[in-house]
């Protein structure tokens, strides 16, 4: 046992001291923070930095001449009677930022228009123009049918649909599909990334020992199984360290950023937390919205998510790490690892691709099966967890995963201890199968 | 002090038998040579001793006790395929390997310093392995093999990659270890070092022992009773004339113009010497024993033909 400790210590220390570990540790949170910060920055920019835009309106239908409202960000200038070509020239010379052209129509209500601009037209502007026109046209149509638009706006109602999940005891809980959707995908991607990345490190470490020819020196001191498990556990501790550091650093960055931006613009900050919501307008998020966000945050069962993430991530990693260790023992150099890594990466790919199906139907038969099959369950179950999964399913899934891990460790250890001493031989699956029977 | 008994050890692989009822007795405090052509089963036997693989049948005993995990700390093994972690620092790595053999860190550090100084690589302690030359890496590997003071040492081609000066340093270190009480198993194709170092040998071919015993006894057994005499005479013609009167003498000119070499294929040389005394000055007389190299080739070839 003491020897396994030594191996774990070496595996851990050599990896944590590497420059690439440091870079990853700092880059990860920066990327994560960027996911928060960039939308916020964009929102801030569209609100303040875009100066007054001047839009020339050439409305040959004369329907919309009074419809467009100017404010401090946009100024609409009616150019009645001007030919559109000369207005386009003015856009080119910079008198106007863009020109809106509504072609003439007879009898019918116009439904098409063109915007001419040198630069990219902001999304916001496009939305504004088309919504104003739409509104105007609707009003006109209503009036033509003899309906007063006033009445229409008076009867307009917005329905607030709450989704309540109940359990057998009658407890009700409000759910927010959008948030669960995002959370499920993010968790699945995290598990996937960690398995591929750190599983790959195990494989690389094993094949490095083999190529370096240090392997025989080591296994004359420790059992191959001890070496394999020491490496797998050592790397898993590196993964956990990385994960914890990411969480801490992301927290620090987030708090730092909040202090920087948040004090002046508290409403924007709350927009940032709701990544899933599109930030298309700079409308002030009112108090109700903030309430909403708090409610959403409270609705998420972070305890269950964190515990199950750790359990599924660790077990999933262990399962795949044993397979990667076995593969690492088979390859002399990295070029011929392909034929052996493929069978391992396929279930991971299946799981990650199907997670887009699972988020739409988390309790469907396929979703349940994928979250039970040990090779896909670490990813598929994480997609389902934010939606709420019956405890018995989680327990069965974890037990299956753990049992498969034990079985695979036994198989992998047999392949590993023969593979690490095998040089310059072209290996087939048939040959490897024989190794399982060696004493 | 440790002796090793290998008894009826058999190991089969999918397509061939690596060891076939192998029996070897290795006495304590002796350098024992393990010889044989490539693929004869030497490495398999060594791996069994190191408990890297297990035999299909048969047993290995150390001082009468069945080989077990506790013996790992008593064995030092320098494999033929050897390497080090390239990115790790030399000293750190040596300590790690010593700790894996059960030496406490402080003790390992102390012993390593001594050996590093002895092998003149003390200044490399904090360098990464990849910065070392191959010869220096070999020295580090040798030191890590013996750092836990093992009673049994197994060296597989220890001299490969060493220049003559360092090979000599290594040879002296091996002899010193033997004199201090270690039992040493030496597997090599370098027959000169077998003659210089080994007390006993076993020659393996196709998983079977085909020749076993003390080096001197084996040479004696393969003695073809040759004697070599070198005579100095200004006129070599009487020597050639004398040679013609015997049918078991070969006469040839040496590199020097006034020296002639006679090879006598018989143990009875007194009469010839008496007659040579009248012709010239006898500069050298020696008994020619076959080299281990000759014995190796002869034995392996005759066994291969028989099978």
């Amino acid at each position: 046992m003491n020897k396994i400790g030594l191996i774990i210590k070496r595996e851990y220390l050599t990896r944590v001291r590497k420059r690439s570990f440091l870079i990853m540790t700092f880059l990860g949170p920066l990327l994560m923070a960027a996911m928060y910060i960039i939308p916020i920055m964009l929102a801030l920019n569209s609100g303040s930095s875009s100066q007054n835009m001047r839009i020339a309106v050439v409305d040959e239908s004369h329907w919309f001449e009074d419809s467009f409202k100017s404010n401090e960000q946009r100024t609409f200038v009616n150019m009645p009677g001007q030919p559109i070509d000369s207005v386009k020239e003015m856009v080119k010379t910079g008198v106007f930022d863009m020109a809106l052209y509504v072609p003439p129509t007879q009898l019918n209500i116009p439904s098409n228009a063109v915007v001419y601009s040198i630069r990219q037209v902001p999304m916001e502007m496009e939305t504004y123009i088309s919504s104003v026109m739409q509104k105007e046209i609707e009003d006109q149509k209503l009036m033509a049918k003899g309906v007063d638009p006033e009445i229409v706006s008076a009867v307009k109602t917005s329905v607030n649909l709450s989704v309540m999940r109940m359990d057998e005891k009658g407890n009700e809980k409000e759910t927010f599909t959008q948030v669960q959707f995002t959370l499920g995908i993010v968790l699945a991607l995290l598990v996937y990334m960690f398995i591929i990345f750190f599983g790959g490190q195990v494989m690389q470490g094993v094949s490095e020992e083999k190529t370096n020819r240090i392997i025989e020196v080591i296994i004359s001191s420790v059992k191959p199984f001890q070496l394999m498990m020491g490496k797998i556990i050592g790397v898993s501790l590196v993964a956990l360290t990385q994960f914890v550091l990411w969480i801490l650093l992301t927290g620090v960055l987030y708090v730092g950023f909040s202090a920087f931006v948040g004090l002046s613009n508290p409403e924007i900050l709350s927009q940032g937390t709701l990544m899933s919501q599109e930030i298309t307008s700079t409308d002030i998020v009112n108090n109700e919205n903030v309430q909403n966000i708090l409610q959403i945050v409270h609705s998420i069962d972070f305890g269950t998510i964190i515990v199950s993430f750790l359990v599924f991530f660790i077990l999933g990693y262990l399962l795949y790490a044993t397979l990667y260790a076995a593969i690492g023992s088979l390859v002399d150099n990295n070029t011929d690892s392909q034929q052996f890594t493929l069978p391992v990466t396929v279930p991971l790919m299946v799981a990650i691709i199907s997670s887009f199906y699972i988020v739409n139907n988390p309790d469907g038969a396929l979703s349940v099966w994928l979250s039970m099959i040990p090779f896909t369950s670490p990813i598929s179950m994480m997609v389902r967890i934010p939606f709420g999964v019956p405890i018995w399913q989680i327990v069965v899934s974890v037990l299956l995963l753990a049992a498969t891990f034990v079985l695979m460790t036994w198989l992998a250890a047999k392949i590993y201890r023969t593979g690490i001493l095998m040089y310059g031989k072209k290996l087939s699956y048939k040959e490897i199968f024989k190794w399982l029977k060696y004493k | 002090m440790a002796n090793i008994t290998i008894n009826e050890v058999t190991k089969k692989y999918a397509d061939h038998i690596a060891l076939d009822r192998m029996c070897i007795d290795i006495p304590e405090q002796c350098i024992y040579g393990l010889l044989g052509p490539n693929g004869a089963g030497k490495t398999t036997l060594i791996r069994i001793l190191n408990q890297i693989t297990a035999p299909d049948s048969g047993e290995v005993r150390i001082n009468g006790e069945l080989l077990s995990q506790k013996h790992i700390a008593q064995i030092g093994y320098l494999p033929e395929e050897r390497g080090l972690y390239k990115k790790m620092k030399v000293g750190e790595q040596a300590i790690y390997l010593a700790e894996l053999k059960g030496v406490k860190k402080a003790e390992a550090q102390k012993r390593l310093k001594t050996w590093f100084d002895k092998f003149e690589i003390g200044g490399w302690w904090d360098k990464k392995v990849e910065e070392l030359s191959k010869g220096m890496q070999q020295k580090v590997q040798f030191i890590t093999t013996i750092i836990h003071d093992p009673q049994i040492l197994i060296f597989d081609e220890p001299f490969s990659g060493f220049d003559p000066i360092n090979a000599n340093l290594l040879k002296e270190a091996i002899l010193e270890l033997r004199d201090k009480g270690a039992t040493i198993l030496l597997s090599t194709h370098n027959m000169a070092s077998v003659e210089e170092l080994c007390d006993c040998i076993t020659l393996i071919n196709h998983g079977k022992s085909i020749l076993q015993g003390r080096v001197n006894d084996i040479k004696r057994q393969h003695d073809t009773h040759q004697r070599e005499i070198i005579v100095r005479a200004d006129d070599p013609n009487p020597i050639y004339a004398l040679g013609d009167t015997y049918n078991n003498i070969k006469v040839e000119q040496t590199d020097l113009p006034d020296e002639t070499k006679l090879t006598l294929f018989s143990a009875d040389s007194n009469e010839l010497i008496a007659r040579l005394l009248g012709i010239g000055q006898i500069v050298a007389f020696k008994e020619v024993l076959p080299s281990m190299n000759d014995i190796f080739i002869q034995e392996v070839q005759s066994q291969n033909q028989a099978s």
Side-chain angles (χ1 to χ4, degrees):
Chain A
M1 230 48 237
N2 186 25
K3 287 180 179 176
I4 275 207
L6 283 169
I7 295 165
I8 293 172
K9 193 173 122 198
R10 194 201 81 87
E11 295 292 337
Y12 182 81
L13 288 180
T14 50
R15 285 191 162 74
V16 170
R17 281 196 217 138
K18 270 190 194 162
R19 205 169 296 136
S20 57
F21 179 83
L22 271 179
I23 292 170
M24 277 295 284
T25 302
F26 287 104
L27 216 58
L30 277 178
L31 285 175
M32 280 201 235
M35 274 163 55
Y36 287 98
I37 292 167
I38 288 172
I40 295 171
M41 282 303 190
L42 287 177
L44 282 177
N45 271 343
S46 64
S48 56
S49 72
S50 70
Q51 313 92 335
N52 198 327
M53 280 199 159
R54 291 172 55 79
I55 305 115
V57 180
V58 181
D59 180 3
E60 293 185 2
S61 70
H62 306 292
W63 283 86
F64 309 107
E65 281 171 337
D66 302 322
S67 312
F68 297 107
K69 301 282 176 286
S70 300
N71 64 10
E72 65 268 26
Q73 281 149 41
R74 50 188 183 235
T75 309
F76 290 94
V77 181
N78 271 314
M79 310 280 283
Q82 289 264 19
I84 181 64
D85 287 338
S86 65
V87 176
K88 269 153 85 177
E89 280 306 314
M90 292 164 91
V91 173
K92 279 186 201 158
T93 52
V95 179
F96 290 105
D97 292 297
M98 59 189 83
L100 172 66
Y101 174 63
V102 186
T105 42
Q106 267 134 21
L107 303 171
N108 272 330
I109 298 168
S111 57
N112 54 332
V114 191
V115 171
Y116 297 98
S117 172
I118 300 280
R119 286 180 301 156
Q120 177 65 39
V121 177
M123 186 73 177
E124 223 186 299
M125 182 64 77
E126 264 182 60
T127 322
Y128 176 74
I129 291 173
S130 64
S131 72
V132 165
M133 288 179 66
Q134 225 167 312
K135 174 86 172 36
E136 188 64 38
I137 293 164
E138 275 172 14
D139 285 355
Q140 295 296 341
K141 283 184 175 169
L142 285 170
M143 281 208 283
K145 300 267 182 203
V147 183
D148 185 352
E150 287 292 306
I151 300 174
V152 176
S153 62
V155 297
K156 218 167 224 170
T157 326
S158 88
V159 174
N160 186 9
L161 180 70
S162 299
V163 181
M164 310 294 276
R165 288 273 298 242
M166 304 187 301
D167 60 16
E168 298 77 16
K169 296 189 196 99
N171 294 324
E172 292 174 7
K173 213 172 84 178
E174 191 161 9
T175 64
F176 300 87
T177 315
Q178 184 82 300
V179 177
Q180 292 161 331
F181 190 101
T182 315
L183 206 55
I185 294 286
V186 167
L187 287 170
L189 277 173
L190 263 182
V191 174
Y192 174 77
M193 267 170 41
F194 268 71
I195 288 181
I196 291 271
F197 185 74
F198 289 99
Q201 290 218 347
V202 170
M203 179 171 85
Q204 205 196 335
V206 170
S207 89
E208 184 199 350
E209 275 168 358
K210 185 179 172 179
T211 327
N212 268 356
R213 315 270 157 144
I214 194 172
I215 189 74
E216 203 162 342
V217 176
I218 305 260
I219 59 171
S220 68
S221 304
V222 302
K223 287 185 178 168
F225 183 74
Q226 292 176 311
L227 180 59
M228 184 179 95
M229 288 318 283
K231 186 175 289 291
I232 288 172
I233 295 168
V235 173
S236 78
L237 293 178
V238 177
L240 286 177
T241 309
Q242 181 116 75
F243 187 67
V244 169
L245 283 176
W246 277 6
I247 301 256
L248 289 178
L249 278 171
T250 308
V252 168
L253 276 176
Y254 184 69
V255 169
F257 184 72
S258 314
F260 174 64
V261 186
L263 291 176
S264 51
N265 280 315
E267 73 279 2
I268 288 167
L269 197 75
S270 40
Q271 271 184 339
T273 47
L274 240 188
M275 281 188 306
S276 53
Q277 285 196 344
E278 284 176 73
I279 301 167
T280 49
S281 77
T282 52
D283 292 347
I284 303 286
V285 177
N286 58 26
N287 222 11
E288 200 183 314
N289 250 354
V290 175
Q291 281 295 305
N292 229 349
I293 291 155
L294 286 176
Q295 216 177 337
I296 291 171
V297 170
H298 286 306
S299 78
I300 300 166
D301 189 349
F302 281 108
T304 311
I305 288 179
I306 290 175
V307 170
S308 45
F309 176 81
L310 285 176
V311 170
F312 278 97
F313 159 62
I314 291 173
L315 283 174
Y317 159 81
L318 286 174
L319 173 61
Y320 276 97
T322 55
L323 296 177
Y324 276 115
I327 294 166
S329 77
L330 297 176
V331 293
D332 272 335
N333 45 41
N334 287 328
T335 47
D336 63 347
S337 61
Q338 285 295 328
Q339 64 157 324
F340 297 114
T341 45
L342 194 67
V344 177
T345 34
V346 164
L348 285 172
M349 294 300 292
V350 167
I352 203 74
I353 290 166
S354 61
S355 59
F356 291 94
Y357 164 83
I358 296 174
V359 283
N360 285 317
N361 196 359
D363 289 320
L366 180 65
S367 308
V368 174
W369 277 110
L370 283 172
S371 64
M372 289 294 151
I373 297 167
F375 291 94
T376 52
S377 66
I379 290 171
S380 300
M381 189 54 103
M382 280 328 292
V383 183
R384 292 183 63 209
I385 292 271
F387 294 92
V389 178
I391 287 292
W392 72 265
Q393 287 191 5
I394 298 184
V395 172
V396 170
S397 177
V398 167
L399 288 179
L400 279 173
L401 188 56
T404 316
F405 161 61
V406 174
L407 178 73
M408 281 299 145
T409 308
W410 179 78
L411 281 175
K414 291 213 154 207
I415 294 173
Y416 176 84
R417 55 158 218 209
T418 311
I420 44 176
L421 294 173
M422 207 60 86
Y423 291 104
K425 208 172 167 187
K426 205 141 176 68
L427 295 169
S428 62
Y429 280 107
K430 199 177 149 197
E431 168 104 30
I432 295 163
F433 188 71
K434 277 188 200 152
W435 297 355
L436 300 179
K437 289 180 272 184
Y438 282 172
K439 196 174 167 186
Chain B
M1 299 276 187
N3 61 63
I4 307 168
T5 315
I6 296 160
N7 193 14
E8 295 273 317
V9 165
T10 300
K11 177 80 183 174
K12 290 191 187 87
Y13 286 112
D15 42 358
H16 74 288
I17 297 180
L19 287 174
D20 189 3
R21 281 167 291 141
M22 179 63 64
C23 297
I24 301 176
D25 273 312
I26 304 174
E28 60 190 25
Q29 206 174 357
C30 128
I31 299 180
Y32 200 101
L34 199 56
L35 317 181
N38 295 322
K42 301 186 300 278
T43 303
T44 304
L45 181 63
I46 287 174
R47 283 181 180 167
I48 287 171
L49 290 177
N50 279 300
Q51 300 174 66
I52 290 170
T53 47
D56 294 333
S57 64
E59 56 178 34
V60 176
R61 289 176 181 273
I62 289 175
N63 287 338
E65 264 181 77
L66 268 180
L67 189 66
S68 67
Q69 283 294 309
K70 71 162 199 180
H71 291 116
I72 278 180
Q74 299 172 20
I75 300 179
Y77 174 36
L78 186 68
E80 182 178 8
E81 299 285 5
R82 50 189 178 249
L84 295 164
Y85 290 111
K86 293 208 163 49
K87 304 271 176 204
M88 231 176 149
K89 285 181 182 160
V90 176
E92 207 178 316
Q93 179 151 216
I95 288 177
Y96 172 64
L97 292 172
E99 279 184 289
L100 282 184
K101 281 287 189 186
V103 184
K104 290 271 177 298
K105 191 172 180 173
E107 177 65 23
Q109 198 142 8
K110 207 175 80 191
R111 288 191 206 170
L112 282 166
K113 291 277 187 210
T114 319
W115 277 102
F116 269 50
D117 289 341
K118 184 169 177 174
F119 274 60
E120 295 156 357
I121 49 173
W124 295 85
W125 185 268
D126 277 325
K127 289 274 193 303
K128 280 190 179 169
V129 170
E130 58 191 353
E131 299 171 51
L132 265 59
S133 72
K134 182 139 187 271
M136 283 191 202
Q137 291 190 30
Q138 298 271 34
K139 286 184 185 176
V140 176
Q141 276 156 349
F142 179 79
I143 293 170
T144 58
T145 309
I146 58 173
I147 199 65
H148 55 293
D149 254 342
Q151 295 172 1
I152 296 166
L153 281 160
I154 302 173
F155 297 124
D156 200 346
E157 292 296 353
F159 300 106
S160 70
F162 277 98
D163 63 45
I165 294 173
N166 283 319
N168 205 44
L169 199 65
L170 187 62
K171 212 170 280 173
E172 275 162 19
I174 291 176
L175 287 170
E176 193 185 321
L177 287 163
R178 194 251 334 251
D179 295 342
K180 281 185 182 159
T183 303
I184 296 163
L185 189 62
L186 182 70
S187 166
T188 181
H189 287 135
N190 183 343
M191 290 302 147
S193 63
V194 171
E195 300 204 20
E196 273 179 80
L197 290 172
C198 292
D199 303 309
C200 309
I201 60 128
T202 286
L203 178 58
I204 303 179
N205 195 25
H206 296 309
K208 286 187 178 140
S209 157
I210 56 173
L211 187 65
Q212 221 169 49
R214 302 192 66 81
V215 171
N216 287 338
D217 294 347
I218 288 172
K219 283 190 156 189
R220 193 69 54 201
Q221 285 158 21
H222 288 78
D223 192 355
T224 46
H225 305 291
Q226 280 185 45
R227 304 290 183 270
E228 208 176 270
I229 306 162
I230 293 174
V231 183
R232 187 180 294 153
D234 292 334
D235 177 15
N237 285 330
I239 303 175
Y240 283 97
L242 183 64
D244 289 339
T245 62
Y246 290 85
N247 57 4
N248 55 357
I249 289 180
K250 196 171 89 192
V251 184
E252 54 201 329
Q253 179 71 46
T254 67
D255 296 337
L256 298 171
D258 59 344
E259 286 187 3
T260 310
K261 185 171 99 179
L262 293 96
T263 311
L264 171 67
F265 299 93
S266 159
D268 182 16
S269 51
N270 285 1
E271 189 200 334
L272 179 67
I273 290 171
R275 296 177 68 174
L276 283 170
L277 286 174
I279 300 170
Q281 181 79 31
I282 294 183
V283 206
F285 173 83
K286 73 174 181 208
E287 179 186 26
V288 182
L289 282 174
S291 68
M292 284 309 292
N293 205 38
D294 298 337
I295 298 171
F296 181 100
I297 293 170
Q298 184 196 331
E299 287 289 329
V300 170
Q301 279 177 347
S302 71
Q303 203 232 358
N304 283 354
Q305 278 157 13
S307 61

